[in-house]
Amino acid sequence: MIANDVPAVHTRGLVKIYDDTVAVAGLDLTVARGECFGLLGPNGAGKTTTVEILEGLVDRSGGTVEIFGRTWEADERWLREQVGVSFQTTHLQEKLTVREILELFRAFFLEGKPVAQVLEEVRLVEKADARYETLSGGQKQRVAVACALVGRPALLFLDEPTTGLDPQSRRALWDVVHTFREAGGTVLLTTHYMDEAEKLCDRVAIVDHGKIIASGTPAELVAQIGAKEVVTVRLAPRDDTSDDATVETARGSLVEALEGALGVVSVRREPDALAMTVRELHDSLPALLAILAARGESILGLTTHRATLEDVFIELTGRQLRE
Amino acid sequence: MSDGARRARAIRAMVVSHMRASYREPGGLFWTYGFPILLSLVLGLAFRSRAPEAPRVAVVGAEAPVVAEKITRGGEVVAKVEARDVAERALRTGKIDAMVITEGPAVEYRFDPTRPEARLAKALADHELQKASGADPKVATKDTIVTEVGARYIDFLWPGLLGLGLMSTGLWGIGFSLADMRAKKLLRRIVATPMRRSDFLASFLLVRVVLLLVEIPPLLIFGRLFFSISVRGSPLALVLTLLLGALLFASMGLLLASRSQNPQIVSGLINVVSFPMYLGSGVFFSASRFPPAVEPFLRVLPLTALNDALRGIVTDGAGLSEVHRPLLYLLAWNVVVFALAVRLFKFR
Ligand SMILES: Nc1ncnc2c1ncn2[C@@H]1O[C@H](COP(=O)(O)OP(=O)(O)OP(=O)(O)O)[C@@H](O)[C@H]1O
Ligand SMILES: [Mg+2]
């Protein structure tokens, strides 16, 4: 049915303008078949809007969208059979049980998965006969994902599928995605968890202000910021009596000095710490410590970790996630 | 699986879900069964037929004992001899309906002609007095007393309550639940599946038809047990009328919920639409009680036609041919409202 060489998702110049907001500002995206693609970005970046346009649920203001080489305008009936969606927030029928809801959604599709199997996958077997209204937030979220799976789609759109889930449920959901991909499925998901993106996604794109500002495999993105390690130091508050403005100036000049040190890519101020991304620890660490010592700063703690997608994200969007 | 079979499967699944949801909503049960039963009990008791009390008059003056005896003789009027001032006070406070004064050549009746009971008291007292005094009737008459099932207030009320029930379950059951689904983006979630939008809307109409089978028989049985109301006319006509009524108000629910994102607005619309029919469509009292100028407007309302047809069938024993006009009229409403609803309905 689906030609092998067409991408699962292909969009060019995607634009969405609400009355006074440009939610998506010219976005290009291609997701190959069998791939898991992650959209990352701060709140309001335009992830949900993009996904919902791709799902054929929101009209776009400009650009082209093809899913498996077809358009929503021409082939909605066929595409609906291929696509499973899970919204960022979903309300289902309060008075129905989980099993009844899944049976309902199963009935909409030509082919589907046995409800019992889906319940197993999303770990809701125990809650199968509980009414939707009695479920916890995380359980409701898993029902939404189950509704997306029960039609046995070829392409799965998951908008923040693990937000609000406990660690076990998150892992269970990762398993769901793995199983789905083993059967040849394609996934487009959004997430605010960088570890999740690194674990699940073959490729990710970072979206900000409705545009993709970086994309590639997680490793490529980390390499792209040119840093391998992140050094975080906690400094003791300065006990002199100088006013806030003086302290501020002192900190500012300290940051500048650190940025000039050997192998340092960037320095970021955190509430009571400084985080420095560096190329090589053995080059930069002595230099950094020397600068701090020369300025009479006393170090309360020092940690290092290998640069992750999270560091890339913060570097590129200038904002801490989950702020 | 053929396309037809899978569409049928999807629609059936929707219908089953709606039914489950509506029967798990305790409020829903009340509006379907509790409300009409309670209302008919209360109103049926309040307006139950009973012998009206005999009018009471006070007789004053010189001839009072004789006249009072004559008035009382037929047993239709209660007459008492009273002192003048006592009688006047009783008249003012409505304890008696009329006062009879026997002074001078003519018997004088004192009463308030704007009160129907007072006029009745005067007329009856006069009639009894003339008869007892030997006046010959000019025309021979006789009385036949009627207290038959079919002429009571409850007989009028009951078919109207069935119609009202169809209206409120249709408008609220369909309109409000759709508005709620839209507000919660559940409509959108359904649009994201292969279910056809027209099938989705059709499933709501189908739900009403199925619910009708569940709702109506208990109400008919109740009417029969408590008020001995049986359907005198054609059962086929009754089924057809109920069906047309249920479908019409379900479509109207679709129409009222076709656009708004806000359930409050939809419930406002439902109130605006149902209020005139609630009062004007002859549920509690006949539409002909309104001034003649207003009546043509009330005739336009679909619930008026529905109630006319129901009343014709239940009370007057009408068959299909007698109620074909209101039924055709309901059919026309159905076509127009459903077409509009399908056209205007937005899924997002
Ligand atoms: N229906 C709407 N009407 C007007 N503006 C909207 C609408 N939907 C989204 N927006 C705006 O578009 C922008 C992008 O929103 P979107 O929901 O796509 O962000 P997001 O990346 O999914 O954010 P989050 O991480 O918080 O889910 C926001 O500024 C939002 O206010
Ligand atoms: Mg979002």
Side-chain angles (χ1 to χ4, degrees), chain B residues 310-334:
Chain B
L310 285 174
R311 222 157 253 147
I313 297 161
V314 174
T315 316
D316 303 336
L320 256 188
S321 56
E322 282 114 317
V323 290
H324 77 277
R325 283 178 57 121
L327 290 196
L328 284 177
Y329 186 65
L330 283 178
L331 185 66
W333 264 96
N334 262 289

Side-chain angles (χ1 to χ4, degrees), chain A residues 181-258:
Chain A
R181 293 190 54 206
E182 271 162 21
T186 309
V187 183
L188 176 58
L189 60 81
T190 74
T191 182
H192 286 304
Y193 301 105
M194 297 300 128
D195 57 333
E196 179 167 296
E198 279 186 297
K199 283 241 165 51
L200 283 183
C201 300
D202 304 307
R203 288 193 303 138
V204 297
I206 295 176
V207 183
D208 201 7
H209 301 295
K211 278 205 181 90
I212 291 182
I213 54 174
S215 71
T217 66
E220 279 168 3
L221 288 191
V222 175
Q224 190 179 318
I225 59 169
K228 281 212 216 120
E229 302 282 343
V230 179
V231 180
T232 310
V233 290
R234 242 163 15 91
L235 299 176
R238 301 181 68 99
D239 51 4
D240 53 25
T241 51
S242 46
D243 57 282
D244 288 355
T246 323
V247 172
E248 188 54 37
T249 328
R251 277 284 144 89
S253 86
L254 174 62
V255 168
E256 251 170 56
L258 291 170

Side-chain angles (χ1 to χ4, degrees), chain A residues 52 57-59 76-77 80-81 85 87 91 94-96 100 104-105 107-110 131 147-148, chain B residues 6 9-10 13-14 17 20-21 24-25 184-186 188-189 191-197 348:
Chain A
E52 291 188 347
L57 295 173
V58 170
D59 295 328
E76 167 152 18
R77 189 109 293 129
R80 289 279 168 232
E81 293 281 355
V85 310
F87 295 150
H91 296 274
E94 303 281 347
K95 298 285 169 194
L96 298 188
E100 287 164 353
L104 173 66
F105 278 84
F108 295 151
F109 292 85
L110 209 48
R131 289 197 189 167
C147 288
Chain B
R6 64 78 73 80
R9 184 182 64 178
M14 274 309 292
S17 299
R20 282 182 175 142
R24 288 174 194 172
E25 196 78 65
K184 288 179 173 166
K185 303 230 155 101
L186 183 50
R188 212 153 162 267
R189 184 62 191 85
V191 170
T193 72
M195 181 169 212
R196 287 176 191 237
R197 293 166 197 206
R348 294 176 197 162

Side-chain angles (χ1 to χ4, degrees), chain B residues 26-344:
Chain B
L29 277 178
F30 173 75
W31 289 109
T32 329
Y33 297 121
F35 180 71
I37 288 179
L38 214 65
L39 205 61
S40 61
L41 276 179
V42 169
L43 294 178
L45 284 178
F47 295 96
R48 74 183 183 280
S49 357
R50 56 176 176 216
E53 281 174 32
R56 277 162 307 178
V57 301
V59 190
V60 302
E63 303 287 320
V66 182
V67 170
E69 189 275 324
K70 283 181 173 170
I71 291 177
T72 323
R73 200 180 292 168
E76 298 274 348
V77 183
V78 178
K80 258 195 186 159
V81 180
E82 296 281 11
R84 182 147 191 152
D85 57 336
V86 175
E88 271 169 356
R89 192 163 349 108
L91 185 64
R92 263 201 314 277
T93 53
K95 291 209 176 68
I96 57 168
D97 299 310
M99 193 170 145
V100 184
I101 303 162
T102 58
E103 273 158 12
V107 172
E108 180 189 346
Y109 295 104
R110 185 172 294 184
F111 67 104
D112 174 359
T114 63
R115 284 181 58 216
E117 311 88 272
R119 295 171 66 163
L120 182 68
K122 180 256 167 186
L124 277 177
D126 188 48
H127 174 76
E128 291 295 318
L129 182 59
Q130 303 290 352
K131 207 166 73 179
S133 312
D136 276 336
K138 305 247 175 349
V139 181
T141 59
K142 75 179 206 253
D143 296 346
T144 307
I145 286 145
V146 184
T147 48
E148 220 180 319
V149 170
R152 304 161 305 170
Y153 177 61
I154 189 68
D155 296 302
F156 176 86
L157 180 68
W158 187 238
L161 284 181
L162 288 182
L164 184 66
L166 291 185
M167 178 175 82
S168 45
T169 44
L171 294 183
W172 291 104
I174 306 291
F176 196 75
S177 68
L178 269 173
D180 191 52
M181 284 176 86
R182 186 198 306 278
K184 288 179 173 166
K185 303 230 155 101
L186 183 50
L187 270 189
R188 212 153 162 267
R189 184 62 191 85
I190 303 241
V191 170
T193 72
M195 181 169 212
R196 287 176 191 237
R197 293 166 197 206
S198 52
D199 288 358
F200 174 78
L201 293 185
S203 77
F204 277 85
L205 297 197
L206 217 56
V207 169
R208 285 302 305 143
V209 173
V210 178
L211 285 179
L212 205 58
L213 301 177
V214 190
E215 287 165 9
I216 296 297
L219 292 180
L220 291 180
I221 292 168
F222 171 84
R224 170 138 213 163
L225 291 182
F226 281 80
F227 298 114
S228 333
I229 299 172
S230 53
V231 178
R232 301 172 163 207
S234 137
L236 175 71
L238 180 70
V239 168
L240 212 61
T241 309
L242 291 171
L243 207 61
L244 282 172
L247 286 176
L248 170 62
F249 289 115
S251 304
M252 217 175 252
L254 291 183
L255 179 62
L256 295 181
S258 62
R259 287 294 172 111
S260 176
Q261 296 289 340
N262 183 346
Q264 311 290 38
I265 291 182
V266 175
S267 73
L269 282 175
I270 293 177
N271 278 322
V272 165
V273 167
S274 44
F275 189 70
M277 293 197 258
Y278 200 87
L279 288 185
S281 284
V283 175
F284 300 100
F285 49 89
S286 167
S288 55
R289 291 275 183 112
F290 283 95
V294 184
E295 222 190 306
F297 295 101
L298 303 180
R299 291 270 142 232
V300 173
L301 301 174
L303 184 60
T304 313
L306 177 62
N307 284 344
D308 282 354
L310 285 174
R311 222 157 253 147
I313 297 161
V314 174
T315 316
D316 303 336
L320 256 188
S321 56
E322 282 114 317
V323 290
H324 77 277
R325 283 178 57 121
L327 290 196
L328 284 177
Y329 186 65
L330 283 178
L331 185 66
W333 264 96
N334 262 289
V335 171
V336 171
V337 172
F338 184 68
L340 267 179
V342 170
R343 236 195 124 89
L344 294 181

